[in-house]
Amino acid sequence: IGVDEKSLISILTNSNEEHKRSLWKGSSKLFIEDENGFERWDQSSIKILKHQFNRFRDAVVLSLLHPWERDARLIEKAIRKGPKHYNVIVEMACTRSSDQLLGARKAYHSLFHHSIEEHLVTHIKGRERKLLVALVSAYRYEGPGVNEDVAKSEAQILYEAINNGDKNKLLDHEDAIMILATRSKQHLQALYRHYNQSYDKTLAQDLEGEGILKDTVECLCTPQTYFTRVLEAAVKEDADEESKRALTRVIVTQKEQLVKEGFVPNKIQDILLGLYKDFMLASIASGDVK
Amino acid sequence: MATIDVPEQVSVLADAEALRKACKGWGTDEKAIISVLGHRNAVQRKQIRLAYEDLYQEDLIKRLESELSGDFEKAVYRWILDPADRDAVLANVAIKKLSPDHHVIVEISCTRSPEEHLAVRRAYQARFKHSLEEDVAAHTKGDTRKACHRKLLQPPYSIDITTSNRGGQSDSGGLRSSRHRKEVKGCRSLVPEMLSDDQLLVALVSAFRYDGEEINTRVANSEAKILHEAVKDKEFNHEEIIRILSTRSKMQLMATFNRYRDDHGTTITKNLEGDSGDEFLKTLRTTIRCLNDPKKYFEKVLRNSIRRVGTDEDALTRVIVTRAEKDLKDIKELYYKRNSVPLDQAVAKDTAGDYKALLLTLLGKED
């Protein structure tokens, strides 16, 4: 992922006519013989190249922006792009601190002249809407003190919603949404523990396949699991463009957390190239400096 | 416009000393307390508290709480708090009531500016160690349960609600016990509007509206239609209504309400009148009134609080204390227009003693 700029420069500047001709004829994946007598660049290859070059740009821009504006822009983009990107909204809403999320909401007002909630309800007609609006509207208490009894009984509520009810209706389940959207993270983490203890499986396991519901629970209760999953998907051999973009987003926005969690930079080292790689590694390293 | 009368020059030290003098010794000099605190704005009151703490190593509020009593004490307590802290206290009182005061929650969420509302949420967390939306979600459900019980006990629903639960676990019957949830689950199919009431309240309390002036007329048009459909058929598509009322900016909503009025000849609030029926409808009416014309809403609350046999001191105090530094002057004018009696006079007739004296001072009466 990324571009090895140094090598590319040396190849391109040192190549002569002869060299170039053999490049065009030889690389059938990159160049196609055209009926008009020249070797045309393959469209999809250009696209890939653009993506690769843009990665560094995106990483730089994301790093430069104030975190509030950055998150606001990421959310707006995700809303526009559709259901496959809703996990980004969940990520923004659930892995930021209460004040950071508030800041993103304020930034959203300035940038887009609407509240996030307004845009969510305007552009999202599906059943995910309720949960997303609720998550984005939260201003969670961040202090200590969890009522273990309540956490346990709410774990039961979720269990029954998942196992006894219609799994398809989960996104409409009022109690479940209110619990996930209004309770403090500490409370939800206690709830997660109780769930595990009482039912011999984790809440995340029980939500396997439930898209943003699972993302929500992971982001709130076990964020490192979520981020690891996203990063691993990004560095896989056959990762798609979206997954790869997630790499930039996660590293730039989560560098402190990544270092804390001991995310291994070596994995990244092997896969990334050029300036993009240098930038990503430096980002993670700087997260070290406190 | 505000009604309180604040002098040009204020010395918070002198004020703190005066208050100390008023509280020392036998009895309390309530007149002195009113004459100081009743003429200070929020910033000054805060500084007085700090000065008092500095000078006497004591919390002024705690001192006043111990010296005063009754409606007067309640009013002084609410008046002396920071506006955001005060709203947090009012919200908590409303939530914790046996029968939660939904309209107070709506009032606080809808008549404050977005920034003020945020400050309330922060103050609530600092004071009560929970988020406002958490407590609203948890406690209004209890109200739903009680309302469900009442409904279930009336024909044709007389279901035996004391069926034992499965599993044999001991059941405390608390807010989220399995018995409660079974009942509520059964209820929800019977009384869906109660479910929506919770949803509407949580949505209103969580809102952080865009504060700008822009209006989209196309949206105003289509949403006025949606609201009209709902009102007309009494088929309240709760989702849509909650969405519109809890996410749109205030300017946009006013445009929508105006459009409604232009298209149908009457205001939406008039169309919602009548059946005091279900909780959702009541909350809905309050919401729209607060968003559409807050001053008119407050005039009505005052009118009702005074008119009743036995004044509703809680409501009276709440409106006067929370609006004295905002728009109580305009509300007074509305009151006079509507009732042909000045608000000061009506309050004086209906209240007594130090409580009355404080209210009148906040209303701007000259000493």
Side-chain angles (χ1 to χ4, degrees):
Chain A
I1 306 179
V3 175
D4 186 356
E5 286 89 355
K6 283 212 178 69
S7 314
L8 209 55
I9 290 174
S10 94
I11 294 175
L12 290 175
T13 50
N14 289 329
S15 68
N16 55 24
E17 199 63 37
E18 196 56 54
H19 190 208
K20 280 224 183 94
R21 225 171 277 140
S22 67
L23 184 72
W24 295 332
K25 289 251 190 275
S27 323
S28 55
K29 262 206 279 190
L30 298 176
F31 293 94
I32 310 170
E33 241 184 73
D34 187 81
E35 59 267 15
N36 284 323
F38 69 100
E39 286 78 13
R40 185 159 49 91
W41 185 262
D42 176 34
Q43 276 298 97
S44 56
S45 302
I46 297 191
K47 215 171 165 198
I48 296 177
L49 201 65
K50 275 193 181 159
H51 283 313
Q52 298 288 44
F53 274 110
N54 287 344
R55 249 178 261 292
F56 179 57
R57 176 203 68 189
D58 289 342
V60 168
V61 169
L62 270 189
S63 299
L64 275 177
L65 291 176
H66 187 292
W68 295 358
E69 177 173 355
R70 180 194 67 202
D71 285 356
R73 287 193 186 276
L74 285 170
I75 293 176
E76 194 267 344
K77 207 162 165 201
I79 296 177
R80 254 189 303 122
K81 284 179 137 189
K84 288 223 187 72
H85 300 258
Y86 292 166
N87 70 303
V88 175
I89 302 173
V90 172
E91 190 182 304
M92 301 292 120
C94 299
T95 63
R96 305 319 192 226
S97 76
S98 293
D99 280 327
Q100 279 175 330
L101 176 57
L102 204 56
R105 291 170 85 177
K106 287 191 194 174
Y108 204 96
H109 286 185
S110 303
L111 295 168
F112 306 110
H113 303 291
H114 284 272
S115 59
I116 303 182
E117 310 89 277
E118 264 184 290
H119 271 177
L120 282 173
V121 300
T122 310
H123 293 114
I124 300 181
K125 302 298 181 193
R127 292 164 44 240
E128 299 92 344
R129 184 166 92 184
K130 224 189 266 183
L131 177 63
L132 290 174
V133 171
L135 292 177
V136 134
S137 308
Y139 184 57
R140 299 175 200 262
Y141 176 59
E142 288 182 322
V146 169
N147 184 326
E148 297 288 339
D149 287 333
V150 174
K152 189 161 184 201
S153 80
E154 290 185 347
Q156 189 174 356
I157 294 178
L158 289 181
Y159 178 78
E160 286 177 10
I162 297 171
N163 292 284
N164 299 344
D166 183 357
K167 232 186 182 173
N168 284 330
K169 292 269 180 70
L170 268 180
L171 282 170
D172 286 316
H173 196 280
E174 273 319 305
D175 279 352
I177 294 187
M178 284 216 198
I179 292 171
L180 292 174
T182 65
R183 291 298 185 195
S184 72
K185 288 183 188 176
Q186 293 235 356
H187 181 98
L188 290 170
Q189 283 157 13
L191 186 159
Y192 196 85
R193 282 195 300 275
H194 282 290
Y195 197 98
N196 203 356
Q197 280 164 10
S198 305
Y199 307 112
D200 261 335
K201 47 187 165 162
T202 68
L203 182 50
Q205 282 168 335
D206 243 358
L207 286 170
E208 197 58 55
E210 293 303 320
I212 59 170
L213 267 173
K214 179 177 177 198
D215 291 335
T216 300
V217 164
E218 273 189 338
C219 284
L220 291 167
C221 304
T222 57
Q224 68 281 15
T225 315
Y226 171 81
F227 285 121
T228 307
R229 181 159 59 84
V230 169
L231 287 174
E232 290 192 338
V235 299
K236 263 189 357 202
E237 269 294 320
D238 53 349
D240 64 12
E241 193 47 41
E242 272 324 307
S243 307
K244 289 187 195 155
R245 280 215 196 99
L247 185 66
T248 310
R249 184 183 78 238
V250 169
I251 291 186
V252 168
T253 64
Q254 298 296 121
K255 38 191 180 183
E256 288 88 11
Q257 265 75 341
L258 288 180
V259 171
K260 250 201 286 174
E261 307 297 338
F263 186 81
V264 183
N266 293 331
K267 220 178 205 166
I268 302 188
Q269 202 142 326
D270 291 336
I271 308 217
L272 304 190
L273 297 168
L275 288 175
Y276 182 65
K277 164 171 134 183
D278 294 340
F279 193 82
M280 290 290 102
L281 288 178
S283 281
I284 298 183
S286 77
D288 223 348
V289 179
K290 270 289 173 195
Chain B
M1 267 199 56
T3 48
I4 61 163
D5 191 15
V6 176
E8 294 249 340
Q9 298 273 47
V10 162
S11 155
V12 298
L13 276 174
D15 287 341
E17 283 166 7
L19 288 169
R20 174 70 159 186
K21 206 164 132 210
C23 295
K24 254 169 51 154
W26 286 111
T28 319
D29 186 355
E30 287 90 354
K31 304 261 173 308
I33 294 178
I34 296 175
S35 79
V36 170
L37 292 176
H39 294 281
R40 303 290 181 268
N41 62 35
V43 171
Q44 292 161 339
R45 297 195 303 271
K46 186 176 187 146
Q47 290 171 338
I48 294 173
R49 278 160 63 192
L50 291 171
Y52 189 95
E53 176 107 36
D54 245 2
L55 288 170
Y56 308 113
Q57 278 78 52
E58 186 183 57
D59 183 349
L60 173 59
I61 295 184
K62 290 218 160 49
R63 165 60 71 175
L64 289 172
E65 276 184 291
S66 67
E67 298 274 331
L68 312 174
S69 62
D71 293 318
F72 180 53
E73 185 266 319
K74 267 198 203 159
V76 170
Y77 179 70
R78 280 152 179 62
W79 173 244
I80 199 172
L81 291 177
D82 277 335
D85 203 16
R86 174 199 301 150
D87 278 354
V89 166
L90 289 171
N92 187 257
V93 165
I95 293 171
K96 292 280 167 65
K97 274 197 181 160
L98 223 47
S99 190
D101 252 335
H102 293 183
H103 58 277
V104 173
I105 300 171
V106 172
E107 189 182 299
I108 293 175
S109 309
C110 296
T111 61
R112 307 336 186 209
S113 77
E115 280 295 335
E116 286 169 348
H117 183 58
L118 266 182
V120 174
R121 288 170 88 174
R122 276 201 206 95
Y124 193 96
Q125 282 192 10
R127 208 177 243 271
F128 301 109
K129 315 298 178 204
H130 282 266
S131 67
L132 176 54
E133 56 266 32
E134 242 184 301
D135 281 357
V136 170
H139 290 266
T140 53
K141 280 209 189 349
D143 190 38
T144 302
R145 172 197 178 199
K146 288 189 195 86
C148 276
H149 275 183
R150 288 197 291 274
K151 195 126 191 180
L152 283 177
L153 290 174
Q154 297 161 14
Y157 294 131
S158 302
I159 300 169
D160 180 13
I161 56 171
T162 58
T163 39
S164 60
N165 59 49
R166 31 185 159 108
Q169 290 170 323
S170 80
D171 193 336
S172 63
L175 210 60
R176 301 222 190 257
S177 75
S178 60
R179 174 164 60 95
H180 158 242
R181 273 178 285 108
K182 250 201 305 293
E183 288 162 355
V184 173
K185 205 167 171 188
C187 278
R188 292 219 167 120
S189 52
L190 300 174
V191 284
E193 67 271 9
M194 285 173 190
L195 176 60
S196 306
D197 194 39
D198 302 340
Q199 282 177 261
L200 176 57
L201 287 173
V202 173
L204 290 176
V205 140
S206 313
F208 181 37
R209 301 175 199 268
Y210 174 56
D211 210 3
E213 310 269 312
E214 293 97 324
I215 297 172
N216 182 321
T217 35
R218 195 173 37 86
V219 166
N221 194 7
S222 74
E223 294 189 342
K225 264 204 190 72
I226 294 176
L227 290 174
H228 182 69
E229 289 298 318
V231 164
K232 180 170 61 104
D233 304 333
K234 311 249 179 238
E235 271 288 318
F236 292 103
N237 182 346
H238 303 145
E239 297 271 336
E240 283 297 286
I241 298 180
I242 293 175
R243 165 184 77 75
I244 294 172
L245 295 178
S246 66
T247 64
R248 291 298 181 197
S249 74
K250 290 199 179 161
M251 293 303 296
Q252 178 66 48
L253 283 171
M254 300 240 293
T256 302
F257 296 144
N258 286 340
R259 185 64 202 237
Y260 185 104
R261 189 198 54 218
D262 293 342
D263 282 348
H264 303 108
T266 63
T267 59
I268 181 171
T269 33
K270 265 225 171 52
N271 271 161
L272 283 171
E273 256 160 46
D275 10 14
S276 58
D278 58 60
E279 285 305 316
F280 180 70
L281 200 50
K282 280 196 227 161
T283 306
L284 184 63
R285 267 200 295 268
T286 308
T287 304
I288 295 181
R289 284 199 179 111
C290 285
L291 290 167
N292 191 25
D293 194 341
K295 292 177 201 169
K296 200 156 155 219
Y297 164 80
F298 284 122
E299 184 278 325
K300 184 160 195 209
V301 173
L302 285 173
R303 186 175 5 117
N304 286 341
S305 78
I306 296 174
R307 187 169 60 180
R308 286 211 199 138
V309 176
T311 318
D312 181 355
E313 284 87 5
D314 270 351
L316 188 59
T317 303
R318 186 181 79 242
V319 174
I320 292 182
V321 159
T322 59
R323 307 317 287 179
E325 289 176 272
K326 296 248 157 205
D327 51 12
L328 193 51
K329 198 161 195 174
D330 302 331
I331 299 173
K332 270 168 65 168
E333 282 165 18
L334 274 175
Y335 187 91
Y336 182 61
K337 255 195 221 133
R338 172 80 200 229
N339 302 289
S340 303
V341 166
L343 180 57
D344 296 26
Q345 204 177 304
V347 167
K349 205 164 136 221
D350 245 42
T351 56
D354 300 311
Y355 177 54
K356 165 168 135 182
L358 176 61
L359 291 184
L360 292 177
T361 305
L362 295 182
L363 280 166
K365 174 181 140 314
E366 279 133 31
D367 283 333

PDB file of all heavy atoms in Angstrom, chain A residues 67 75 128 154 213 273 287:
ATOM      1  N   PRO A  67      -9.023  17.801  15.065  1.00  0.00           N
ATOM      2  CA  PRO A  67      -9.777  16.543  15.224  1.00  0.00           C
ATOM      3  C   PRO A  67     -11.287  16.689  15.083  1.00  0.00           C
ATOM      4  O   PRO A  67     -11.948  15.791  14.560  1.00  0.00           O
ATOM      5  CB  PRO A  67      -9.425  16.074  16.640  1.00  0.00           C
ATOM      6  CG  PRO A  67      -8.294  16.887  17.083  1.00  0.00           C
ATOM      7  CD  PRO A  67      -8.025  17.984  16.129  1.00  0.00           C
ATOM      8  N   ILE A  75     -17.592  11.832   9.062  1.00  0.00           N
ATOM      9  CA  ILE A  75     -18.986  11.433   9.231  1.00  0.00           C
ATOM     10  C   ILE A  75     -19.808  11.838   8.008  1.00  0.00           C
ATOM     11  O   ILE A  75     -20.599  11.052   7.484  1.00  0.00           O
ATOM     12  CB  ILE A  75     -19.588  12.066  10.508  1.00  0.00           C
ATOM     13  CG1 ILE A  75     -18.907  11.481  11.745  1.00  0.00           C
ATOM     14  CG2 ILE A  75     -21.087  11.856  10.573  1.00  0.00           C
ATOM     15  CD1 ILE A  75     -19.363  12.101  13.044  1.00  0.00           C
ATOM     16  N   GLU A 128     -31.120   1.296  10.184  1.00  0.00           N
ATOM     17  CA  GLU A 128     -29.964   1.661  11.000  1.00  0.00           C
ATOM     18  C   GLU A 128     -30.108   3.059  11.581  1.00  0.00           C
ATOM     19  O   GLU A 128     -29.397   3.456  12.486  1.00  0.00           O
ATOM     20  CB  GLU A 128     -28.672   1.632  10.165  1.00  0.00           C
ATOM     21  CG  GLU A 128     -28.331   0.293   9.576  1.00  0.00           C
ATOM     22  CD  GLU A 128     -28.905   0.141   8.184  1.00  0.00           C
ATOM     23  OE1 GLU A 128     -29.791   0.926   7.822  1.00  0.00           O
ATOM     24  OE2 GLU A 128     -28.463  -0.760   7.465  1.00  0.00           O
ATOM     25  N   GLU A 154     -29.498  -5.213  32.706  1.00  0.00           N
ATOM     26  CA  GLU A 154     -29.532  -4.734  31.325  1.00  0.00           C
ATOM     27  C   GLU A 154     -28.850  -5.715  30.395  1.00  0.00           C
ATOM     28  O   GLU A 154     -29.218  -5.834  29.221  1.00  0.00           O
ATOM     29  CB  GLU A 154     -28.933  -3.325  31.234  1.00  0.00           C
ATOM     30  CG  GLU A 154     -29.853  -2.306  31.909  1.00  0.00           C
ATOM     31  CD  GLU A 154     -29.406  -0.864  31.774  1.00  0.00           C
ATOM     32  OE1 GLU A 154     -28.260  -0.603  31.376  1.00  0.00           O
ATOM     33  OE2 GLU A 154     -30.232   0.024  32.080  1.00  0.00           O
ATOM     34  N   LEU A 213     -24.570  -3.153  14.766  1.00  0.00           N
ATOM     35  CA  LEU A 213     -24.825  -3.459  16.182  1.00  0.00           C
ATOM     36  C   LEU A 213     -23.573  -4.053  16.813  1.00  0.00           C
ATOM     37  O   LEU A 213     -23.178  -3.692  17.921  1.00  0.00           O
ATOM     38  CB  LEU A 213     -25.989  -4.436  16.331  1.00  0.00           C
ATOM     39  CG  LEU A 213     -27.351  -3.788  16.541  1.00  0.00           C
ATOM     40  CD1 LEU A 213     -28.436  -4.820  16.500  1.00  0.00           C
ATOM     41  CD2 LEU A 213     -27.389  -3.046  17.863  1.00  0.00           C
ATOM     42  N   LEU A 273       4.494   1.314   1.573  1.00  0.00           N
ATOM     43  CA  LEU A 273       5.591   1.752   0.731  1.00  0.00           C
ATOM     44  C   LEU A 273       5.787   3.252   0.826  1.00  0.00           C
ATOM     45  O   LEU A 273       4.862   4.005   1.116  1.00  0.00           O
ATOM     46  CB  LEU A 273       5.285   1.416  -0.734  1.00  0.00           C
ATOM     47  CG  LEU A 273       5.150  -0.070  -1.063  1.00  0.00           C
ATOM     48  CD1 LEU A 273       4.553  -0.231  -2.450  1.00  0.00           C
ATOM     49  CD2 LEU A 273       6.511  -0.738  -1.003  1.00  0.00           C
ATOM     50  N   GLY A 287       2.941   8.754  18.631  1.00  0.00           N
ATOM     51  CA  GLY A 287       1.914   8.470  19.628  1.00  0.00           C
ATOM     52  C   GLY A 287       2.568   8.029  20.920  1.00  0.00           C
ATOM     53  O   GLY A 287       2.001   8.099  22.000  1.00  0.00           O
TER      54      GLY A 287
END
